Amino acid sequence: MDMTRPEQIEIRWHGRGGQGAVTSAGMLAEAAYYAGFKGVSSAPAFGAERRGAPVTASTRLANATLRHFSQVENPDMVVVLEDSLLVTANAVNGLGAKGYVIVNSHLAPEELGLSNGFRIATADADSVAEEIELRVSGVIMVNTAMLGAVAKATGLITLEHIERVLNHTFSPKAARKNIEAARMTYECTRCAY
Amino acid sequence: MTVETKSAVVITGNKAAAEAARLARVEVVAAYPITPQSPVVEALAKYIETGDLDAEFITVESEHSAMGVCIGAATAGSRVFTASSANGLAYMCEQLSWVAGSRLPIVMGCANRAMSAPWSVLNDQQDSMSQRDQGWIQLFCRNNQEILDTFLQAFRIAEQVKLPVMVCYDGYILSHTVMPVEIPDQEEVDAYLPPYAAHTALDPAAPRNINPVTLADPRLNGEGVLCHGYMEFRYLMEQAHQEALDVIVKADEEFGARFGRRWGGLTWSYQLDDADTVLIAAGSLAGEATISADMLREEGVRAGVLGLRAYRPFPADSLAEQLKQAKRVIVFDKSLSYGYGGPICMDVRATLQRHKMATDVDGYIAGLGGRDIKARELAAATRESIAWAAKRHAPKPTGWINLQL
């Protein structure tokens, strides 16, 4: 699904401490750079992070070199690593009327109870990570998988761009597993628009 | 831009700083970890361990010792690098003065962070500002590419004027934010930055005093040679700062000729040519202000931005020249001289007064302790400043952006 590329796209990631939202936000910036965006940035919402607490990260993608790095407050897209954060972190706060909401959830987009105006996509990244045993310290990891959902839902990046990022970030073995997770999640992403 | 853009890597500001130190072929690194600077020295420790950088990493138990090691190594003739933030920088305080007074060209990174108390690991610029008068050159960066490039320029500047340089970059906002950074070729960097030829190198064949004890007036040494007193040493240090005003510009010009990127030398500007309303700041805050200027221009306000790269030496004459057409200047400071106002604001006011310019200068304090600053807030402050001037004759008190009392 191709999206006419605007001058700048602002993305907010929602996860919990330990889920790797900050890491995958940075990976999206890098993948988008490979996809031809000249200005990309990704910044964690700064604070004393702790496991399990809601965290956010801001990613900006632009056609020109970026001049500002403040936190995103009116995103064009939110990526949510756990569907409970839709409520507890009010993940769609400030999201534009036709904004993308991309959620790790076993539910269909229509079942999330969100405004119809949003472009909603869901992917059951938990099941993907379970299936291929993508775990860190026993905990399943869905952050890299959700890059596949972003690719499918927006067309801003492709699986090849994601692969390139993962290949140079991880050891060959870990990269293979993460690439597989992104690919499977890409395949199972459901878009309600 | 004459050089074709090469492919970049997407990295943090801390990584960009470490890459610069590697490319500068620093020979000694001594540092103590502190948030948000730690990843710089972690990266350098790794480069040294893997052989990517042929240098000594000297572990120390404190920042005071880190700078002590740097002083020794630099005196003996090594190119030296260290980095710190906030409390760590404060702990180096005594040594910072020693470095500048000894005229050692040490380059350090300061990932800007708030000073405690209360405790904060987040960004403002109070830490480097608190060390402003130690004799170091202070340069500010607005993005990660500028961090890498400024460190390379810093070694060149430092070694030419024999003054230490503190390269300041906003903690987290740049230190932990990834963005594309072009890594220059090693051969090009080598050509730009030849090996350091130390003016202090020790030589048994020509023994001399290092940092002699001075008295109030010049006096004869044991060989009957008249030596400087303390004031003469310090006057020469100030002369070096004045000389640095040119050297900083030339270092940037020559960098631009070789690498295709120039950062403005002492200052940079955005939409300044016809601006009657000028926003001034240092670091990433000034970048944010360029977005505010866009917003204000859409409303018909002729706004522009003047960003400070060099804070010490202070580019006073250059600033006065560039602000000739300005009716109103709004200065945003991420630090405070308690009991008075924003330090950059005070310097700008003094500069304009000295040049007999009647420009209004209003000051705002912004982003202390990591308070996020949006472009719309800087634009709102600018509107407030304009409105105050239209209605009131009393000087506007210092404003505080997004204060939530």
Side-chain angles (χ1 to χ4, degrees), chain B residues 112-341:
Chain B
N112 284 116
R113 162 181 160 177
M115 295 297 303
S116 50
W119 195 246
S120 171
V121 299
L122 303 177
N123 167 250
D124 65 35
Q125 295 170 350
Q126 193 73 44
D127 54 356
S128 57
M129 192 57 72
S130 74
Q131 304 304 319
R132 178 189 68 185
D133 298 336
Q134 300 276 32
W136 285 58
I137 290 172
Q138 291 189 329
L139 305 177
F140 282 88
C141 307
R142 77 200 94 143
N143 61 42
N144 294 356
Q145 183 73 62
E146 189 175 13
I147 292 174
L148 188 148
D149 295 351
T150 301
F151 270 108
L152 295 177
Q153 295 180 13
F155 282 104
R156 200 173 150 126
I157 296 161
E159 290 165 14
Q160 193 169 337
V161 298
K162 302 182 181 68
L163 284 174
V165 179
M166 188 180 296
V167 177
C168 306
Y169 56 98
D170 290 309
Y172 289 102
I173 298 168
L174 297 180
S175 75
H176 283 60
T177 296
V178 297
M179 62 191 84
V181 176
E182 214 177 278
I183 311 290
D185 292 332
Q186 182 68 63
E187 305 78 64
E188 286 291 313
V189 175
D190 289 345
Y192 178 75
L193 194 62
Y196 173 45
H199 64 108
T200 52
L202 304 176
D203 180 5
R208 59 170 147 170
N209 285 329
I210 301 278
N211 287 313
V213 174
T214 56
L215 294 176
D217 293 310
R219 60 170 173 163
L220 300 175
N221 70 6
E223 290 164 349
V225 178
L226 188 67
C227 295
H228 295 320
Y230 183 91
M231 274 188 79
E232 286 69 32
F233 278 113
R234 290 281 157 163
Y235 175 79
L236 292 170
M237 199 164 115
E238 169 60 10
Q239 290 290 93
H241 264 274
Q242 296 305 323
E243 187 194 336
L245 287 167
D246 289 331
V247 171
I248 291 166
V249 172
K250 288 203 180 75
D252 189 50
E253 281 172 3
E254 285 163 25
F255 189 92
R258 187 172 288 281
F259 298 99
R261 288 185 300 276
R262 284 184 61 181
W263 296 98
L266 301 166
T267 63
W268 56 271
S269 64
Y270 179 79
Q271 304 276 39
L272 192 64
D273 289 348
D274 68 336
D276 58 14
T277 301
V278 180
L279 287 66
I280 294 183
S284 65
L285 181 57
E288 191 79 25
T290 64
I291 308 292
S292 317
D294 290 346
M295 294 171 171
L296 291 161
R297 287 216 169 229
E298 278 177 27
E299 301 162 13
V301 178
R302 289 216 306 271
V305 175
L306 209 166
L308 286 178
R309 268 192 97 217
Y311 181 56
R312 287 294 182 269
F314 191 69
D317 292 345
S318 162
L319 231 64
E321 179 63 30
Q322 294 182 77
L323 293 174
K324 260 184 183 164
Q325 82 297 345
K327 287 187 193 142
R328 164 159 313 281
V329 171
I330 298 106
V331 185
F332 299 98
D333 270 284
K334 271 191 180 177
S335 67
L336 179 57
S337 178
Y338 286 87
Y340 193 22

Side-chain angles (χ1 to χ4, degrees), chain B residues 61-65 86-95:
Chain B
E61 87 297 352
S62 75
E63 287 85 356
H64 189 275
S65 300
N87 303 52
L89 186 71
Y91 198 21
M92 278 181 181
C93 173
E94 179 210 1
Q95 304 282 43

